[in-house]
Amino acid sequence: MHDIVDLRSDTLTLPTPEMREAMARAEVGDDVWGEDPTVRRLEALAAQRLGKPAGLFVSSGTQGNLVSVVTHTRPGQEVVLDFDSHVFNNEVAGAPVIGQLQMRPTKTERGFLSPEQVREALRPANIHLPQTGLVCVENTHNRHGGTCCTPEEIAAVAAVAHEAGVPVHLDGARLFNAAVALKRPAADFARHVDSVTFCVSKGLAAPVGSVICGSAEFIERARRWRKMLGGGMRQVGILAAAGIVSLERMVERLAEDHANARRLGEGLAKLPGLRVDLATVQTNIVIVRIERGPAATDELVKGCAARKVKVHAMGPAAIRCVTHKDVDAEDTSRALEAFRELTSRW
Ligand SMILES: *Cc1c(COP(=O)(O)O)cnc(C)c1O
């Protein structure tokens, strides 16, 4: 039970005492010189969990995606991705600005491009056309409410891309949520893609950081891009130490977040004026549609805040609730109660 129930995002998780302890004790060195043993341990551990030869610690998921995208491509190429993807919508147009890339967003039903959609989006050899440089997939899918795609779905998309000689990047900011929800090893999702980024700073509760995993050759080139983008950090084992605790101690407990989200979603779906597509509540995100529109959405966000429940308005008529380790079952009940009180007046 916490004083404030903060459901705005799983990025708000605070580091655990064990993380702070590990950070305080971390053996460090200059990571730009390749001499930080704790960063090396995190990179090796992440690579092992994802079944890839090498890893690279980066400052954020956004930096991880940008570094990956520009490492795979050349200026003037096109990136095929989902219309609602984080890379397309929430990364400040980094790929077009820094990578001089054209984005090719495609609308999808669930946030995942089908193999047919990828096939259609790939550019044929023609002097007029940009070349397709990369296909991106996202798992779990943020804007679609934490939905998961299976390793087999990723494999099918990757097969089409690879047949055309196009690499695939997986934005797996919350990949471990998908792994826990579908009870599959994280490596199963990474097997068919050329690179993957995941965050230790979200549900895995570390204060800072993401890791890119891929081939040794890819990671060496990515390391140069990271340096160019200002991501060459020094005794950053202080931060990587918390990421190691994330991977060793915080993965299995994501199931609790999923159970809380499920309970929250099922409760909210029963309230008047609220709609929750329960089929999308697969991990730790619940998207609530507010049938009465923007004014009612605003009223709910403010009313919840007055009851010490923080939620995030997502567009004009939706609210996003994200469960995480600093929201327990009791907190979930309090959040539900706040919504119940507010909607009972409607
Ligand atoms: C959060 C998120 C990112 C970016 O991570 P930051 O660490 O916030 O930069 C990338 N992709 C998805 C799907 C995300 O949810």
Side-chain angles (χ1 to χ4, degrees), residues 270-333:
K270 291 190 189 123
L271 298 180
L274 305 184
R275 261 192 312 113
V276 179
D277 180 355
L278 287 172
T280 68
V281 184
Q282 300 171 5
T283 56
N284 68 329
I285 302 179
V286 181
I287 293 179
V288 191
R289 311 264 163 214
I290 320 300
E291 286 169 348
R292 296 172 162 225
T297 305
D298 195 47
E299 185 193 320
L300 279 178
V301 172
K302 290 196 174 121
C304 281
R307 287 159 178 78
K308 296 194 174 183
V309 175
K310 293 189 182 179
V311 294
H312 176 66
M314 197 182 165
I319 286 174
R320 191 183 76 159
C321 299
V322 186
T323 56
H324 52 73
K325 77 131 177 95
D326 295 331
V327 174
D328 59 27
E330 217 174 313
D331 297 331
T332 309
S333 302

Side-chain angles (χ1 to χ4, degrees), residues 26-31 34-43 237 240 244:
E27 193 190 338
V28 296
D30 189 327
D31 183 51
E35 293 176 9
D36 190 303
T38 307
V39 171
R40 292 181 149 227
R41 261 179 64 214
L42 171 60
E43 290 174 343
I244 292 170

Side-chain angles (χ1 to χ4, degrees), residues 127-167:
I127 196 171
H128 300 89
L129 304 176
Q131 291 178 324
T132 306
L134 181 67
V135 172
C136 286
V137 291
E138 182 174 318
N139 201 21
T140 65
H141 200 291
N142 187 338
R143 282 159 83 103
H144 280 263
T147 43
C148 307
C149 65
T150 63
E152 290 69 30
E153 286 174 287
I154 295 176
V157 160
V160 174
H162 288 156
E163 209 178 280
V166 173

Side-chain angles (χ1 to χ4, degrees), residues 60-62 65 86 91 138 142 171 173-174 199 201-202:
S60 67
T62 299
N65 283 335
H86 197 280
E91 299 185 7
E138 182 174 318
N142 187 338
D171 174 1
R174 295 188 181 81
C199 298
S201 55
K202 293 191 169 172

Side-chain angles (χ1 to χ4, degrees), residues 16-169:
T16 62
E18 191 183 357
M19 285 176 180
R20 289 186 183 266
E21 184 83 5
M23 293 170 79
R25 291 174 190 275
E27 193 190 338
V28 296
D30 189 327
D31 183 51
V32 175
W33 290 60
E35 293 176 9
D36 190 303
T38 307
V39 171
R40 292 181 149 227
R41 261 179 64 214
L42 171 60
E43 290 174 343
L45 178 61
Q48 182 244 326
R49 293 287 158 92
L50 294 186
K52 295 290 187 203
L56 183 67
F57 186 53
V58 290
S59 62
S60 67
T62 299
Q63 189 180 57
N65 283 335
L66 177 58
V67 164
S68 299
V69 169
V70 297
T71 301
H72 280 299
T73 55
R74 289 193 310 279
Q77 289 187 326
E78 196 166 64
V79 179
V80 173
L81 35 56
D82 157 56
F83 186 85
D84 292 316
S85 62
H86 197 280
V87 171
F88 182 53
N89 292 283
N90 299 89
E91 299 185 7
V92 212
V97 172
I98 308 293
Q100 296 172 256
L101 297 159
Q102 177 158 283
M103 299 286 104
R104 179 79 180 272
T106 300
K107 286 224 181 195
T108 65
E109 222 163 90
R110 298 185 306 125
F112 307 115
L113 293 152
S114 67
E116 296 70 38
Q117 284 180 307
V118 172
R119 191 170 285 116
E120 251 171 61
L122 293 173
R123 300 286 193 171
N126 177 317
I127 196 171
H128 300 89
L129 304 176
Q131 291 178 324
T132 306
L134 181 67
V135 172
C136 286
V137 291
E138 182 174 318
N139 201 21
T140 65
H141 200 291
N142 187 338
R143 282 159 83 103
H144 280 263
T147 43
C148 307
C149 65
T150 63
E152 290 69 30
E153 286 174 287
I154 295 176
V157 160
V160 174
H162 288 156
E163 209 178 280
V166 173
V168 180
H169 173 68

